[in-house]
C-alpha cells in the first residue's frame, strides 16, 4: 500500500484539473499497457487532461484495449511528446522502476522534468526518482497495484467496465493466466470484482491469446526446434536469429511468451530465449525460473538487465553465438 501522507498529497494534487501524463516501459507488455490505460480511464472521468505516452510501439495483440489508439509513441513523435511531458503537472510511471527502462531518448527527457511524479511498480530494486513511490515486489502485476491505489484514493466508484477490462488484461498476462506464484487470494478477489464490473473475461483471454497469425505459430515451431537442453544445469534455452524472424514475417509481440515453453520440461528450472535484433545491434534475452533461482540477479549481474525473481530480461552486445557461449560459461562458473 502507498503511505497515507503520500495518498493525501496525491489526492490534493488531483483535487483540481491537471495535465497528467502516464508512461509505461519500452516494449510495453499487457501489464504496462493495461495499467497505464486503466489509470488513464479513471483520471479522465475526473476531468483531468490525461495522455499515455509509450516510449515505442506496443504489440498488435494489445491494440484492442480501449483507447489504445490514442496512446502517443515517443520515438515516433519526439517533439510533440517532449512538449507534452514538459507541460505536464504530474507524471505517472507504471510497471518500471528505473528511467532507463524507457530507452535512452525518453530517459533523457524524463530526467530533466521538474513536475511531481508517481511510480507504481512491482519489480526488484526500485530507483528513487519519483516524488511518490508505490513499489512492492509481492504483487504479481502493476494492474493489481493500480486497483489498490484507486481504492486508496477512494475512487473505486470510477472502476467501470472499461477500467476493469484494462486492469484485468495486465493481471491475466503477468500472472500467466493465474498460475505464477504471486497469484494470491487478493488477486482472485480483485478479479472477482472486475468481473462484477461487467468485463467479458473469456473474450479478453481470447483477444490476448487466441489471436495469433499463422506465421506466429510457424515461428513458435521454429523456436521449439531450436530449443537446447543443458540437463547438467537443469537449464534449457532457445535462440531466434534475425533471419529466422524475417522468414516468418516477424511482427512486434510475436515472440511474447515463447520463453515459457523452456520451463515446461520435467526437471528444468531455468530457461532463456535469445533473440537477435540486427537493427539495434543487440541480442534481447528473457529469463525464466521456477523456485529459488533469482533471474533478476542473474540478468543484472551478467546481461545488463533486471526484473523479477522468476522472470527477468536483459541484453547482450555480442553476437548470438558469442552470447550463447558466455551464457554456458556463466552457468558452469555459477555451478561451481
Ligand atoms: P520479458 O522477458 O517478458 O521481456 O520481461 C520479463 C520481466 O523482466 C518484465 O517484468 C520486464 O519488465 C523485465 N525486463 C525485461 N527486460 C529487461 C531489461 O532489459 N532490464 C530490466 N531492468 N528489466 C527487464
Ligand atoms: Mn508487470
Amino acid at each position: 500500500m502507498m503511505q497515507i501522507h503520500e495518498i493525501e498529497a496525491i489526492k490534493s494534487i488531483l483535487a483540481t484539473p491537471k495535465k497528467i501524463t502516464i508512461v509505461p516501459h519500452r516494449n510495453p507488455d499487457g501489464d504496462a499497457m493495461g495499467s497505464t490505460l486503466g489509470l488513464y480511464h479513471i483520471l479522465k472521468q475526473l476531468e483531468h487532461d490525461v495522455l499515455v505516452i509509450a516510449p515505442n510501439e506496443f504489440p498488435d495483440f494489445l491494440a484492442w484495449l480501449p483507447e489504445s489508439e490514442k496512446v502517443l509513441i515517443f520515438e515516433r513523435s519526439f517533439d510533440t511528446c517532449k512538449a507534452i511531458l514538459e507541460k505536464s503537472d504530474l507524471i505517472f510511471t507504471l510497471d518500471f522502476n528505473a528511467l532507463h527502462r524507457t530507452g535512452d531518448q525518453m530517459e533523457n527527457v524524463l530526467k530533466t522534468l521538474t513536475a511531481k511524479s508517481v511510480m507504481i511498480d512491482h519489480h526488484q530494486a526500485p530507483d528513487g526518482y519519483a516524488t511518490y513511490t508505490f513499489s512492492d515486489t509481492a504483487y504479481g502485476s502493476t494492474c493489481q497495484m493500480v486497483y489498490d491505489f484507486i481504492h486508496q484514493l477512494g475512487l473505486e466508484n470510477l472502476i467501470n467496465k472499461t477500467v476493469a477490462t484494462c486492469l484485468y488484461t495486465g493481471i491475466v498476462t503477468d500472472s500467466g493466466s493465474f498460475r505464477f506464484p504471486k497469484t494470491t487470494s487478493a488477486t482472485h478477489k480483485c478479479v472477482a470484482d472486475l468481473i462484477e464490473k461487467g468485463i467479458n473475461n473469456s473474450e479478453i483471454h481470447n483477444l490476448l491469446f487466441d489471436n495469433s497469425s499463422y506465421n506466429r505459430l510457424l515461428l513458435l515451431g521454429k523456436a521449439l526446434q531450436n530449443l537446447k537442453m543443458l540437463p547438467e544445469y537443469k537449464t534449457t534455452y532457445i535462440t531466434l536469429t534475425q533471419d529466422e524472424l524475417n522468414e516468418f514475417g516477424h511482427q512486434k509481440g510475436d515472440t511474447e511468451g515463447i520463453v515459457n515453453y523452456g520451463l515446461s520440461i520435467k526437471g528444468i528450472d531455468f530457461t532463456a530465449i535469445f533473440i537477435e535484433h540486427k537493427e539495434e545491434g543487440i541480442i534481447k534475452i528473457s529469463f525464466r525460473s521456477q523456485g529459488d533461482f533469482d533471474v533478476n540477479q542473474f540478468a543484472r549481474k551478467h546481461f545488463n538487465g533486471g526484473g523479477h525473481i522468476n522472470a527477468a530480461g536483459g541484453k547482450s552486445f555480442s553476437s548470438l553465438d558469442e552470447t550463447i557461449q558466455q551464457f554456458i560459461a556463466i552457468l558452469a562458473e555459477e555451478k561451481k
Side-chain angles (χ1 to χ4, degrees), residues 195 308 316:
I195 291 173
H308 312 283
S316 157

Side-chain angles (χ1 to χ4, degrees), residues 32-96:
M33 293 306 294
S35 59
T36 51
L37 283 168
L39 185 61
Y40 162 91
H41 287 291
I42 292 280
L43 296 174
K44 273 194 47 165
Q45 295 178 63
L46 296 169
E47 310 297 329
H48 296 294
D49 185 357
V50 200
L51 278 170
V52 175
I53 301 184
N56 64 345
E57 311 284 339
F58 54 87
D60 263 0
F61 75 88
L62 298 170
W64 56 272
L65 279 167
E67 296 193 27
S68 61
E69 72 283 358
K70 296 202 178 142
V71 172
L72 295 177
I73 308 295
F74 184 89
E75 290 174 16
R76 208 202 292 152
S77 323
F78 178 86
D79 293 328
T80 312
C81 292
K82 182 166 184 273
I84 291 167
L85 284 165
E86 285 171 349
K87 282 192 207 119
S88 299
D89 303 309
L90 183 63
I91 315 272
F92 281 89
T93 71
L94 302 191
D95 201 37
F96 66 97

